[in-house]
Amino acid sequence: ARKNQDEIKKLMNRREGMLRLEEKLMSLNVICDERDLQDQLFGIAREADGVSMEEESYYKKELIGVVNEWMKYFPCRELKGHQGRVTCCKVFDDGKKVLGGKKLHVWDLMTGCTIQKWNGCDDYVYCCDVSNNIAISGGMDNTLRVRNVSSGSVMASLKGHSNNVMCCELFANGTKAITGSWDHTLIVWDISNKKQLTVLRGHTDRVNCCNVFSNGGRVISGSNDKTLRIWNLNENTEENRLVGHTASVLCCTVFDHGNKTLSGSSDTSLRLWNLSTGQSEQVLKRHTASVRCCCVFDGDRRALSGSTDCSLIVWDLLNGQVLQTLTGHTDIVRCCAILGNGQQVISGGYDKILRIWNIN
């Protein structure tokens, strides 16, 4: 009888210990991935009252189940601190920080804390990009700003657009950038020498999005004129035009070594395009309002989209099926990006919050 009582007490202590571990999850700032979560919980297990080193092997086994369950049922972490809408977000090359906001903040993804606040220079930021130690942003004041990431100081303010700068991207070499504007044009910039290289004209309405091909020789753009256009940057000419959306094109991303692109529109759909033929191969429909952002990941097998309907959707690009719907934002989802190994994504919205989602 005494032996049975001891076993029952031991099991109760273990259960109480596990409950304490689960409660500790709520105090963690950011869960970066399963391995990071396990490591944090192992540390908590060693420090928790009533948990002995002898029982560590038990906890290691139990923690696998805890991690799996929490990754399913505790799907989101929030980064709060923005005073306005989160209109853009870009993950740093090291995957440990993210840049985002209407007024740009740099966030540490491991701690969930703001590292830097870049206030006072941008009227209202719509877009941003970051690579190595260079960051760029554009917004309501029609200007592209180039910053030193370490200090946050503005290295250059490049003027050339006559309306809002809605999209911007750095080229892979880090010496050039491209911007798209509501003035219907795109501009390629030499950011090293702080000058304009060329203006791409052809869209008949506002330019909302752009994406540089990996070789740097072409760029794609989307507009309120309902088209996507591919530009040859060696000749500064329009190379192809993709027609199919029935309303403004708000987002686009090139993938599959420059052979395909995914676009999102105010017509509530995403379209998957074959750039060799210029034809739409798939139309993805599930959102109930404008698709504001999209990206492709997992070896080009999955896609993520965010919408004015306040949701994000994970898509299977092989069959066009919805894999997961992420709800939690209380206003328009304006931006999204992939974190780490693709088990997590980040999104920003008009509700002033950056959210990190577990999608594995």
Side-chain angles (χ1 to χ4, degrees):
R2 179 60 181 269
K3 183 178 180 181
N4 289 338
Q5 290 176 0
D6 290 343
E7 287 297 324
I8 292 172
K9 185 177 180 180
K10 190 175 183 180
L11 288 172
M12 290 179 64
N13 286 339
R14 286 176 173 176
R15 179 56 183 162
E16 289 173 2
M18 292 307 299
L19 289 174
R20 284 195 295 273
L21 294 182
E22 292 188 15
E23 291 172 0
K24 282 286 187 176
L25 281 166
M26 297 298 295
S27 68
L28 300 179
N29 289 308
V30 179
I31 301 171
C32 288
D33 54 35
E34 291 183 18
R35 177 60 62 185
D36 176 63
L37 178 55
Q38 290 175 14
D39 290 343
Q40 291 186 62
L41 290 182
F42 288 159
I44 295 169
R46 295 188 184 98
E47 297 172 4
D49 293 336
V51 178
S52 66
M53 293 297 291
E54 290 76 13
E55 292 190 322
E56 183 175 326
S57 60
Y58 165 82
Y59 278 98
K60 285 186 176 180
K61 292 178 182 178
E62 290 294 310
L63 284 173
I64 301 301
V66 172
V67 168
N68 290 337
E69 289 302 306
W70 276 83
M71 293 294 276
K72 291 178 183 177
Y73 300 111
F74 192 70
C76 178
R77 287 288 174 181
E78 298 179 345
L79 303 181
K80 295 182 178 180
H82 289 284
Q83 299 303 308
R85 298 170 173 177
V86 180
T87 50
C88 59
C89 61
K90 288 291 180 178
V91 180
F92 280 62
D93 295 335
D94 62 8
K96 297 179 180 179
K97 299 184 291 293
V98 67
L99 174 67
K102 167 189 168 184
K103 296 288 186 179
L104 292 173
H105 291 196
V106 179
W107 294 88
D108 185 321
L109 293 175
M110 292 299 294
T111 65
C113 298
T114 301
I115 303 173
Q116 294 175 312
K117 294 182 180 181
W118 295 346
N119 294 325
C121 294
D122 300 286
D123 186 18
Y124 192 115
V125 174
Y126 286 123
C127 57
C128 64
D129 197 12
V130 61
S131 183
N132 297 318
N133 200 39
I134 299 294
I136 60 173
S137 61
M140 192 180 287
D141 62 359
N142 313 341
T143 304
L144 176 70
R145 284 189 170 80
V146 184
R147 298 175 186 267
N148 178 289
V149 170
S150 298
S151 63
S153 60
V154 177
M155 301 163 57
S157 295
L158 306 177
K159 297 183 179 293
H161 287 295
S162 59
N163 208 329
N164 298 344
V165 177
M166 298 303 296
C167 55
C168 64
E169 185 173 342
L170 286 162
F171 284 64
N173 59 17
T175 63
K176 294 194 298 183
I178 189 165
T179 52
S181 168
W182 278 3
D183 65 12
H184 306 184
T185 71
L186 297 106
I187 297 179
V188 180
W189 304 88
D190 180 341
I191 59 175
S192 297
N193 296 306
K194 304 176 184 178
K195 66 179 183 179
Q196 186 180 123
L197 292 177
T198 189
V199 181
L200 303 174
R201 293 184 172 90
H203 281 295
T204 59
D205 208 330
R206 296 172 173 179
V207 177
N208 299 309
C209 56
C210 60
N211 191 209
V212 179
F213 284 63
S214 58
N215 63 8
R218 293 190 295 170
V219 66
I220 190 168
S221 57
S223 165
N224 278 14
D225 64 15
K226 308 176 188 178
T227 71
L228 292 121
R229 304 193 187 210
I230 299 173
W231 308 86
N232 185 317
L233 298 183
N234 296 318
E235 301 177 2
N236 297 327
T237 58
E238 182 182 319
E239 186 176 278
N240 201 357
R241 190 177 304 183
L242 308 180
V243 179
H245 282 295
T246 58
S248 301
V249 179
L250 302 178
C251 57
C252 60
T253 184
V254 177
F255 64 102
D256 189 23
H257 308 291
N259 295 313
K260 294 182 179 180
T261 193
L262 183 69
S263 60
S265 168
S266 294
D267 64 14
T268 75
S269 75
L270 293 107
R271 284 181 179 261
L272 181 63
W273 303 85
N274 184 319
L275 297 184
S276 298
T277 64
Q279 299 300 308
S280 174
E281 293 185 335
Q282 279 192 77
V283 181
L284 308 179
K285 293 185 177 182
R286 180 62 65 88
H287 285 295
T288 58
S290 299
V291 180
R292 307 298 297 267
C293 54
C294 63
C295 50
V296 175
F297 65 107
D298 189 19
D300 297 340
R301 293 187 294 268
R302 289 189 287 171
L304 176 71
S305 60
S307 170
T308 299
D309 66 15
C310 308
S311 75
L312 295 109
I313 292 178
V314 181
W315 304 85
D316 185 331
L317 289 182
L318 300 180
N319 56 28
Q321 298 299 306
V322 172
L323 296 175
Q324 195 171 356
T325 300
L326 308 174
T327 57
H329 281 289
T330 57
D331 208 332
I332 293 170
V333 178
R334 183 64 173 78
C335 56
C336 61
I338 307 302
L339 295 179
N341 58 10
Q343 292 184 347
Q344 290 189 313
V345 299
I346 188 168
S347 61
Y350 283 11
D351 58 7
K352 307 177 184 179
I353 298 173
L354 279 163
R355 284 183 165 84
I356 298 173
W357 309 82
N358 302 310
I359 61 171
N360 187 30

